[in-house]
Amino acid sequence: MGIEWQSEVDELESRRQTALGMGGADKVELHRSRGRLTVRERINRLLDCESFHEIGQLTGSPTYDGPHLVSVMPANLIVGYGSVEGRPVVVAGDDFTIRGGSGEATIPAKATFAVRLALERRIPLVQLVDGSGGGGGVKVYEDGKHTTSPPILTEWQHITTALGVVPVVSMVGGTVAGLGALKACQSHYSVMVRGTSQVFAAGPPLVRYVEKSVDKETLGGSDVHTRNGVISDEAGNEDEALHRIRAFLSYLPSSVYQLPPLHENTDPVDRRDDWLGDAVPRNRRQVYDIRRILNAVVDRGSLFEISPMFGRPVVTALARLGGRPVGVIASDPYQYGGALNAGACQKLRRFIDLVDTFHLPRVALLDLPGLMIGTQAEAAGTVRYAAEAVTAVYQSTTPQCVVVLRRFYGLGAAAMVNGSRLALMYAWPSAEWGSMPFEGGIEAAYKADLEAAADPDAVRAEIEGRLAYARSPMRAAETFGIADMIDPRDTRTVLCQFAMGAYESLTPGIHARTMRP
């Protein structure tokens, strides 16, 4: 390229510098003064050093004086690809310094391109969401002298497809409304920043027309949305949020056409923690710390919990066993005794879809008395959500292993195991199971005897004594109702052996149905 093209080269460099300046120095400083990173800073901290390759940097809204360029407003979506721990990913990040990251002030083709690039290359898509929907684009109407019809976005068609093919992850970096909120939910994993990011269908300026005034944090802060299941996780700051995205991706393959990535493991698979023998109290009404048990049986430091504040009777997490990624499900007796409520069933269904989509074997450590019962549970539609969870489990195809720690009863138990496929099922000596807990079953089966008794409590105690022998998991083991009884201290070894065998049978590929967010 010689001297005769120098003016074009100079213009190209000028346009690139304008794009790197984002919304201008004043807008960037205002953004940072609110305690937020710019989108370019987020991208640089997310990706491996100097790995980002931007695409569409010159995209924007130009102003011309005849044939001469006067100025360019860069597009408020930055797109490109880079790497996370050496593995390629696509990144699409909203630039809040330009018209608040409004979806109606951007170039729609650029957002669609990012999703299609992830699908074409079969690599994860990371969305750094920091923008609004139509509300942020009202100024566009003034510029265009007309309004637009509600968007029917081709991007959503591709996102729906992507959820069944590649990992899709979102970080909410600021105040996100409308289309931005929907985008954050259309993910396998999402994270907010406590105190500086909010999510809502419409913000306080619109909400005040239907109810009393409310601030952004009360309306859609992380305290709201990580507890109602809208967002998976919350972080104390943006660096922590970006770290969690990197960690989440480390458990998943780049696409469904690959198997999950194996990691070097320095934690002995035959490690035995003696305290596990006393982990479950003999008193059946006493609670215990399930997360301590989980951390003891998976590879040290590998437990990555998802949606810890939502659906709390069930714990869902990614972890590794002998370096092999697995999905983990567990009961938390601190939360309603581990009984599944409506939120827990929704959480379970989403997690089953996630691990099944990406071919992760799943293990479950259960102390499950069944579904939540009572008027509140019925009003919340618990049975409906339990049916969805059961359906997801029975549609799943990955290997499954269950360890019953204590109780395993009723419809809640049915939501955990795909009975149409092989399930390795083990039990600790503290285990018990059946169609319902004995206490409730006695009330139903011996109702007439109890009503006729002069001392119902004494009769109930006598019946419980007669049936006590049936609680023993040894009885089920005798009839091959379970694969084996195990010493709690051997749980890690058993699970690592399961994972090793499961990975021999995994077959990559796409499922007939997509992930349901």
Side-chain angles (χ1 to χ4, degrees):
M1 198 177 299
I3 295 175
E4 62 180 298
W5 293 102
Q6 189 61 51
S7 61
E8 285 81 1
V9 171
D10 291 343
E11 181 180 350
L12 174 61
E13 180 59 25
S14 174
R15 286 174 179 256
R16 294 198 185 283
Q17 290 302 315
T18 297
L20 292 174
M22 297 175 284
D26 56 338
K27 296 288 183 63
V28 169
E29 182 57 34
L30 176 61
H31 187 73
R32 287 174 175 156
S33 71
R34 294 168 175 165
R36 298 172 183 169
L37 300 174
T38 68
V39 62
R40 293 189 179 278
E41 289 169 335
R42 289 167 182 161
I43 291 172
N44 289 335
R45 297 188 189 194
L46 168 71
L47 300 178
D48 297 341
C49 183
E50 297 183 358
S51 70
F52 183 56
H53 178 84
E54 188 171 353
I55 298 174
Q57 191 178 56
L58 302 188
T59 308
S61 301
T63 299
Y64 285 94
D65 181 8
H68 304 291
L69 178 70
V70 177
S71 64
V72 177
M73 176 182 291
N76 59 9
L77 180 71
I78 295 176
V79 169
Y81 59 87
S83 62
V84 172
E85 300 295 337
R87 299 168 63 203
V89 301
V90 173
V91 179
D94 295 325
D95 186 353
F96 194 82
T97 69
I98 300 175
R99 285 189 169 169
S102 167
E104 290 190 353
T106 190
I107 309 295
K110 198 171 184 182
T112 302
F113 178 86
V115 186
R116 296 182 66 184
L117 179 63
L119 280 168
E120 180 74 20
R121 297 197 176 180
R122 296 180 177 178
I123 57 178
L125 171 65
V126 179
Q127 303 178 114
L128 303 176
V129 188
D130 193 359
S132 62
V138 170
K139 288 186 178 180
V140 177
Y141 300 156
E142 182 179 7
D143 295 342
K145 310 303 181 184
H146 64 86
T147 61
T148 57
S149 63
I152 302 174
L153 300 177
T154 56
E155 177 190 359
W156 247 249
Q157 170 194 341
H158 297 300
I159 279 285
T160 301
T161 302
L163 288 171
V165 180
V166 298
V168 180
V169 186
S170 296
M171 185 193 91
V172 180
T175 301
V176 171
L179 295 177
L182 189 58
K183 183 183 293 186
C185 294
Q186 288 281 88
S187 309
H188 296 110
Y189 174 77
S190 54
V191 57
M192 295 178 70
V193 180
R194 191 182 307 114
T196 62
S197 62
Q198 301 85 31
V199 174
F200 22 65
L206 286 180
V207 170
R208 70 184 179 87
Y209 286 100
V210 296
E211 62 181 57
K212 65 180 182 180
S213 297
V214 63
D215 64 83
K216 293 190 297 185
E217 195 66 18
T218 302
L219 181 62
S222 62
D223 281 350
V224 176
H225 288 311
T226 58
R227 288 151 179 82
N228 64 13
V230 168
I231 299 296
S232 308
D233 206 352
E234 65 179 347
N237 54 58
E238 292 193 40
D239 282 325
E240 181 185 344
L242 295 169
H243 172 77
R244 293 191 187 188
I245 287 175
R246 291 173 64 95
F248 175 82
L249 291 174
S250 73
Y251 294 89
L252 300 184
S254 292
S255 78
V256 298
Y257 298 101
Q258 301 176 15
L259 294 183
L262 304 185
H263 282 236
E264 182 181 359
N265 175 49
T266 59
D267 189 2
V269 298
D270 59 354
R271 171 173 55 79
R272 300 175 93 237
D273 288 342
D274 287 339
W275 67 267
L276 285 171
D278 301 316
V280 174
R282 188 168 288 274
N283 181 346
R284 296 167 59 248
R285 294 181 177 275
Q286 189 173 341
V287 297
Y288 54 88
D289 187 351
I290 185 60
R291 289 172 179 80
R292 187 184 180 203
I293 293 175
L294 294 178
N295 279 297
V297 299
V298 303
D299 294 355
R300 293 189 190 279
S302 73
L303 190 71
F304 183 89
E305 191 170 349
I306 297 175
S307 297
M309 302 307 295
F310 172 63
R312 298 180 69 183
V314 64
V315 175
T316 53
L318 302 176
R320 297 186 182 90
L321 291 167
R324 297 169 178 83
V326 297
V328 177
I329 300 167
S331 307
D332 187 353
Y334 273 95
Q335 305 296 328
Y336 303 109
L340 297 180
N341 59 11
C345 291
Q346 294 173 65
K347 177 178 175 178
L348 178 63
R349 191 271 299 164
R350 295 178 198 170
F351 187 73
I352 292 294
D353 279 357
L354 169 66
V355 298
D356 194 53
T357 296
F358 294 106
H359 316 300
L360 272 70
R362 69 177 187 272
V363 301
L365 281 74
L366 302 176
D367 181 356
L368 183 56
L371 296 185
M372 182 70 72
I373 59 176
T375 55
Q376 290 186 346
E378 299 300 342
T382 302
V383 174
R384 162 61 64 182
Y385 294 119
E388 291 182 1
V390 171
T391 301
V393 168
Y394 271 77
Q395 288 176 335
S396 66
T397 60
T398 53
Q400 53 187 340
C401 180
V402 174
V403 181
V404 182
L405 307 186
R406 191 158 60 181
R407 298 158 300 176
F408 192 55
Y409 286 106
L411 293 176
M416 293 295 182
V417 184
N418 183 348
S420 68
R421 299 180 63 86
L422 179 69
L424 282 173
M425 191 165 176
Y426 298 93
W428 284 10
S430 48
E432 59 182 71
W433 47 71
S435 59
M436 67 174 66
F438 277 7
E439 292 78 3
I442 289 172
E443 292 291 338
Y446 296 90
K447 179 180 179 181
D449 294 344
L450 293 171
E451 289 178 347
D455 187 351
D457 290 339
V459 173
R460 186 183 297 105
E462 189 271 331
I463 295 171
E464 288 180 357
R466 296 202 314 261
L467 297 177
Y469 74 93
R471 289 189 190 275
S472 172
M474 303 290 182
R475 301 282 178 168
E478 290 169 355
T479 60
F480 202 60
I482 55 172
D484 207 354
M485 295 279 299
I486 59 173
D487 184 324
R489 295 168 293 183
D490 294 327
T491 304
R492 171 169 168 76
T493 301
V494 168
L495 294 181
C496 286
Q497 290 171 343
F498 159 74
M500 183 184 301
Y503 267 77
E504 295 297 324
S505 65
L506 294 180
T507 303
I510 194 166
H511 289 271
R513 57 165 179 76
T514 188
M515 166 80 183
R516 296 160 287 195

